[in-house]
């Protein structure tokens, strides 16, 4: 994402014309520095949005997922206008953590939230978000974890795996100007931060009525209501880019919990030959159309382990931009495997979007495990 600054021209001396010509002759290997002339103070500049940064790979605007280690694996963060699909673990223990990290990051950075769920009231979900962690405390937590290892070789191995995916931490308090924060899962986010934030809730049982007559449609009623709700928020609050001069730009973070589950009125989880097999895929197709033309980013958790038809899983994956799968060791043979004794599960980066391309990228890192400590969720 780039923007060119344009200014009005006036009467200039010969020397100033030469200087201007030399400034315009900027190659791709030269950086255009800040202008010192007073006449350039009125030039239009690229508007910066708190909690975002441009990608070093393609210039696309990025937001943090709330987990810095995951940001690094996804190429720096989650691209604005894209969908991050989280494949829930079997017992749905760890996927809600990634969901809450994403929402907590939005509150800390001042983004607007849209929380949709058929299981929990969005207001209750916000009350359970983790608290921001000071960087010096985060470093202390990591150091304590390292010191718990018995031998020096284990300590060296822990340092290598611990810090190769994490950015350097500075000893200063959490600030909204930073990109990506750390959170303490043992504490809840302060109530004053929630009250100061702007959010919208979509609780499916409150949006639909059992006595309502619904006309036959390729989408079930819950998906239709959710699409209309998201569309209204995007267009009424200017996240589609309308009225750019009247309102300061911001990011809309959309979180949808347990999409595709029976609670949403979908039957893809209990039968292979379901009647509404295309309802979820059409919803994702239309949702991506809304996101592509707006300043919004979306995270969706889907119980893919419950979907009987594998073809539906493939279509859902193809309609998502970024796909991350969580595999918990609970109840599996890996739980007793000595190789995995220090971890709670594996994390799989299924696909990473190559924006403005027709193909997807695949992460170079294959062997990734996660561990939930007393305060931190870490990827190693």
């Amino acid at each position: 994402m780039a923007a060119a600054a344009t200014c009005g021209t006036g009467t200039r001396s010969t020397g100033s014309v030469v200087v201007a010509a030399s400034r315009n002759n900027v190659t791709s290997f030269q950086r255009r520095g800040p202008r010192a002339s007073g006449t350039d103070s009125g030039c239009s500049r690229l508007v910066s949005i708190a909690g975002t940064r441009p990608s070093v790979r393609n210039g696309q605007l990025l937001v943090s997922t709330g987990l810095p280690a995951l940001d690094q694996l996804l190429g720096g963060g989650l691209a604005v206008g894209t969908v991050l699909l989280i494949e829930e673990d079997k017992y749905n223990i760890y996927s809600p953590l990634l969901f809450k990290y994403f929402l907590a990051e939005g509150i800390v950075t001042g983004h607007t939230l849209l929380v949709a769920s058929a299981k929990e009231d969005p207001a209750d979900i916000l009350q359970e978000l983790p608290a921001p962690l000071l960087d010096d405390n985060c470093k202390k937590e990591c150091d304590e974890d390292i010191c718990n290892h018995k031998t020096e070789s284990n300590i060296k191995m822990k340092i290598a795996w611990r810090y190769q995916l994490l950015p350097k931490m500075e000893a200063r308090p959490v600030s909204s100007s930073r990109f990506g924060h750390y959170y303490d899962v043992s504490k809840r986010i302060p109530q004053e931060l929630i009250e100061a934030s702007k959010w919208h809730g979509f609780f499916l049982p409150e949006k639909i009525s059992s006595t309502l007559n619904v006309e036959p449609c390729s989408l079930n009623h819950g998906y239709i209501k959710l699409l209309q709700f998201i569309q209204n928020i995007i267009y009424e609050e200017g996240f589609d880019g309308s009225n750019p001069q009247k309102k300061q730009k911001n990011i809309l973070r959309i979180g949808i919990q347990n999409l595709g589950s029976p609670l949403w009125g979908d039957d893809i989880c209990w039968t292979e030959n379901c009647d509404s097999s295309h309802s979820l895929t059409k919803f994702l197709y239309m949702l991506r159309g809304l996101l592509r033309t707006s300043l919004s980013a979306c995270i969706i958790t889907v119980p893919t382990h419950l979907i009987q038809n594998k073809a539906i899983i493939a279509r859902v994956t193809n309609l998502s931009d970024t796909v991350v799968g969580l595999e918990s060791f609970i109840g599996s043979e890996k739980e007793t495997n000595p190789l995995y004794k220090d971890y709670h599960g594996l994390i799989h980066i299924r696909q990473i979007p190559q924006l403005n391309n027709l193909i997807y990228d695949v992460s170079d890192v294959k062997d990734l495990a996660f561990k939930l400590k007393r305060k931190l969720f870490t990827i190693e």
Side-chain angles (χ1 to χ4, degrees):
M1 183 179 294
T6 58
C7 301
T9 58
T11 306
R12 299 184 180 180
S13 62
T14 305
S16 62
V17 173
V18 173
V19 172
S22 64
R23 284 180 177 177
N24 291 330
N25 188 19
V26 178
T27 67
S28 59
F29 299 97
Q30 294 175 331
R31 181 179 179 182
R32 186 189 295 271
R35 299 174 184 264
S37 174
T39 59
D40 296 321
S41 59
C43 299
S44 61
R45 297 180 179 179
L46 181 64
V47 178
S48 61
I49 303 177
T52 65
R53 70 178 178 189
S55 170
V56 297
R57 301 168 65 181
N58 49 34
Q60 177 71 29
L61 197 64
L62 302 176
V63 296
S64 174
T65 60
L67 195 60
L70 183 59
D71 292 340
Q72 296 295 319
L73 294 172
L74 301 183
L78 179 63
V80 172
T82 62
V83 176
L84 168 60
L85 175 68
I86 302 294
E87 297 178 356
E88 297 177 1
D89 52 291
K90 186 176 181 180
Y91 296 102
N92 199 25
I93 297 176
Y94 303 104
S95 53
L97 283 176
L98 301 186
F99 186 80
K100 293 174 183 177
Y101 277 135
F102 179 80
L103 299 178
E105 181 70 19
I107 289 183
V108 171
T109 54
H111 296 165
T112 303
L113 301 184
L114 192 157
V115 186
S117 176
K119 179 181 179 181
E120 300 178 72
D121 193 313
D124 296 335
I125 295 177
L126 294 183
Q127 296 294 330
E128 298 176 355
L129 298 184
L133 187 66
L134 299 180
D135 286 333
D136 51 354
N137 292 337
C138 183
K139 189 175 188 302
K140 180 181 178 181
E141 286 293 322
C142 294
D143 292 340
E144 289 178 356
D145 181 73
I146 293 172
C147 294
N148 287 333
H149 288 259
K150 298 179 181 180
T151 63
E152 184 178 356
S153 60
N154 284 341
I155 292 177
K156 292 181 179 179
M157 181 63 68
K158 193 66 177 182
I159 292 175
W161 283 96
R162 170 73 61 186
Y163 292 105
Q164 68 177 355
L165 297 178
L166 292 179
K168 294 182 179 179
M169 294 174 289
E170 301 175 0
R172 60 191 177 102
V174 168
S175 169
S176 60
S177 62
R178 277 195 47 202
F179 186 83
H181 300 84
Y182 296 90
Y183 297 90
D184 184 353
V185 295
S186 66
K187 297 179 181 179
R188 296 292 173 255
I189 193 167
Q191 185 65 29
E192 55 268 19
L193 287 181
I194 299 178
E195 294 175 354
S197 64
K198 186 175 183 179
W199 63 278
H200 305 274
F202 181 93
F203 188 38
L204 184 63
E206 296 179 352
K207 298 295 182 179
I208 61 176
S209 173
S210 57
T211 59
L212 182 64
N213 295 325
V214 183
E215 297 180 359
C217 180
S218 58
L219 289 178
N220 68 42
H221 189 55
Y223 293 158
I224 293 176
K225 283 288 187 179
L226 180 55
L227 275 175
Q228 293 174 346
F229 186 79
I230 295 175
Q231 185 179 25
N232 291 337
I233 297 299
I234 288 178
Y235 289 106
E236 289 177 3
E237 300 195 7
F239 293 106
D240 60 332
S242 62
N243 301 324
Q245 303 298 328
K246 299 180 181 179
K247 193 174 183 180
Q248 184 178 3
K249 291 184 180 297
N250 199 2
I251 299 295
L252 175 65
R253 286 177 177 253
I254 303 173
I256 307 175
Q257 192 179 54
N258 303 122
L259 193 69
S261 69
L263 295 174
W264 284 95
D266 215 330
D267 59 351
I268 60 176
C269 290
W270 67 70
T271 178
E272 185 173 353
N273 299 320
C274 50
D275 297 331
S276 58
S277 60
H278 297 288
S279 186
L280 177 59
T281 54
K282 289 183 178 180
F283 169 80
L284 290 174
Y285 181 81
M286 289 186 280
L287 176 64
R288 276 180 49 167
L290 286 174
L291 297 180
R292 286 293 192 269
T293 57
S294 64
L295 287 172
S296 55
C298 181
I299 182 172
I300 299 175
T301 66
V302 176
T304 53
H305 60 283
L306 297 178
I307 300 179
Q308 303 295 321
N309 193 336
K310 301 304 178 183
I312 297 179
I313 298 178
R315 290 198 292 266
V316 169
T317 300
N318 292 332
L319 286 171
S320 304
D321 299 293
T322 307
V323 181
V324 176
L326 295 179
E327 178 187 353
S328 173
F329 292 157
I330 299 176
S332 67
E333 297 178 355
K334 295 178 181 178
E335 188 176 14
T336 57
N337 192 328
L339 181 63
Y340 302 113
K341 64 179 181 178
D342 295 329
Y343 308 102
H344 294 145
L346 299 177
I347 183 168
H348 306 283
I349 309 298
R350 307 289 190 195
Q351 69 183 26
I352 302 174
Q354 284 190 349
L355 300 175
N356 303 321
N357 279 299
L358 296 178
I359 61 175
Y360 290 97
D361 196 5
V362 179
S363 176
D364 297 332
V365 184
K366 301 296 182 183
D367 301 325
L368 292 170
F370 64 84
K371 177 168 59 175
L372 178 59
K373 299 193 300 178
R374 186 171 59 91
K375 293 185 177 182
L376 300 175
F377 181 91
T378 59
I379 301 175
E380 304 176 7

